[in-house]
Amino acid sequence: MMSTDSFSVRLLAWFEKHGRKELAWQINPTPYRVWVSEIMLQQTQVATVIPYYERFMQRFPTVQELAITPLDEVLHYWTGLGYYARARHLHKTAQTVCNQYNGVFPTTLLEMEALAGIGRSTAAAILALSQGQRQTILDGNVKRVLCRYHALTKPPTDPQTLAQLWLFAEQHTPDTQLAAYTQAIMDLGATVCTRSKPQCTLCPLQADCLAYQQGNTAAYPVPKPSKILPVKTTFFIIVQQAMGQVLLQQRPAVGIWGGLWSFPECASFNDVVPWIETNLQLSDYHIENGLSLRHTFTHFHLDITPIYIQSKSTPLAIPLLHTCWYDPHHPPAIGLAAPVVKLLKQLAKLTVGEMLL
């Protein structure tokens, strides 16, 4: 159904005066540049994405360059941005576009959705922003705007509510100025209709926003029932050579931090000594526990205890498959999990003597 109200008219007028038009991916908005930005912006705020995007595009200016680069290096440029499956999907899709589409992104919604890591809303955003197609988007910002504007009484995760949101999004999408409208409704949610303390006095939709009329914008979107996240534990085995190199191991391609480099790990403390005796050729070593840190994923907390292996001798060779000696003074271009980056920074502050005390 085409838009028959003034929703889009008011939103476009607001965007013309107040919208963001100089973001890096808005300059020369090719399908490739828009695609990279849309993947980075999933679950991540614009201010965080900007420096990552600029570095990424400098290193991978074309989809062909991205496709031929080893995944390790792609993950390196993603380190710290989180949700690393996005980077793996990005790399896979770049190869698909080059191999199946001769390096040119498809122009239909179904073909775009079929690419790894691209869902319905992301596909629509890419086509609208880079091609000017009339496509309907429904990202987190848009859901928040529409939940408030229509005062929807169930969480956006509710199947019926989600169907309503898609219907409303379609109704409000205009027939012209599609790229501007798509950016406008995302901008409104990101800068005005924010999660907390929305600036309703600046909103072009205030006059007929049902949540505003109720004086209760904080009640929308209705939150999904909260649940207590389970806690899992792991132990990172930290082995450091005299010159500061640290033993890292590449994680399996699937699972948490898939394909990233991390410390070897044990599921329980009782496994640590057997692991050392099986895998390391050390003498006169002793074990010291570091301070635990917590890393939170979407569905659980992970409590990590670093186990420092302190010895005057070091392993003579790399002891395991898929391992390397990581030199923090000359770091290789590999992807690292966020807690690993934190622990490596702590290690870099210690002298060798302090490590062996």
Side-chain angles (χ1 to χ4, degrees), residues 9-27:
V9 174
R10 287 174 288 159
L11 189 54
L12 284 165
W14 170 84
F15 180 72
E16 182 62 28
K17 292 183 179 180
H18 306 291
R20 297 178 291 190
K21 305 179 185 69
E22 301 299 327
L23 296 172
W25 46 88
Q26 293 175 311
I27 301 167

Side-chain angles (χ1 to χ4, degrees), residues 148 195 198 216-221:
R148 285 174 174 160
R195 183 176 287 107
N216 196 19
T217 55
Y220 304 96

Side-chain angles (χ1 to χ4, degrees), residues 7-159:
F7 184 103
S8 62
V9 174
R10 287 174 288 159
L11 189 54
L12 284 165
W14 170 84
F15 180 72
E16 182 62 28
K17 292 183 179 180
H18 306 291
R20 297 178 291 190
K21 305 179 185 69
E22 301 299 327
L23 296 172
W25 46 88
Q26 293 175 311
I27 301 167
N28 185 24
T30 64
Y32 173 67
R33 290 173 58 81
V34 172
W35 165 61
V36 172
S37 72
E38 286 298 311
I39 300 302
M40 285 190 170
L41 287 165
Q42 292 171 355
Q43 308 287 333
T44 311
Q45 294 184 346
V46 167
T48 301
V49 164
I50 288 173
Y52 280 92
Y53 180 83
E54 291 174 343
R55 287 193 297 268
F56 198 92
M57 295 308 298
Q58 185 174 7
R59 172 61 186 86
F60 310 110
T62 66
V63 68
Q64 290 85 355
E65 186 68 28
L66 178 58
I68 64 174
T69 302
L71 178 59
D72 259 356
E73 187 173 350
V74 176
L75 290 169
H76 170 70
Y77 278 84
W78 204 273
T79 294
L81 198 54
Y83 299 97
Y84 291 92
R86 295 181 297 173
R88 296 194 295 274
H89 288 150
L90 207 72
H91 189 245
K92 181 178 180 181
T93 285
Q95 294 177 331
T96 301
V97 169
C98 289
N99 294 335
Q100 297 184 18
Y101 295 95
N102 296 317
V104 179
F105 277 81
T107 57
T108 70
L109 190 66
L110 286 178
E111 286 179 301
M112 191 70 78
E113 276 190 81
L115 297 172
I118 300 181
R120 178 179 174 184
S121 183
T122 299
I126 295 167
L127 293 173
L129 293 170
S130 69
Q131 308 269 338
Q133 289 189 22
R134 187 185 187 278
Q135 300 289 353
T136 301
I137 69 162
L138 190 65
D139 71 353
N141 285 318
V142 178
K143 288 177 182 177
R144 184 165 56 254
V145 170
L146 296 180
C147 280
R148 285 174 174 160
Y149 185 81
H150 294 282
L152 300 182
T153 57
K154 292 183 179 180
T157 51
D158 173 75

Side-chain angles (χ1 to χ4, degrees), residues 217-267:
T217 55
Y220 304 96
V222 175
K224 63 181 180 180
S226 60
K227 61 179 181 180
I228 299 175
L229 295 180
V231 178
K232 301 181 181 181
T233 60
T234 193
F235 295 82
F236 279 177
I237 311 300
I238 300 180
V239 184
Q240 190 171 34
Q241 292 184 329
M243 298 303 293
Q245 298 94 332
V246 183
L247 183 67
L248 295 184
Q249 185 172 27
Q250 190 173 31
R251 299 181 66 88
V254 296
I256 65 169
W257 299 320
L260 298 181
W261 290 79
S262 180
F263 300 103
E265 64 180 304
C266 292

Side-chain angles (χ1 to χ4, degrees), residues 238 240 308-311 347 350-357:
I238 300 180
Q240 190 171 34
Y308 296 96
I309 310 302
Q310 300 181 347
S311 172
L347 285 173
L350 300 177
T351 66
V352 175
E354 288 173 323
M355 280 299 303
L356 298 177
L357 288 177

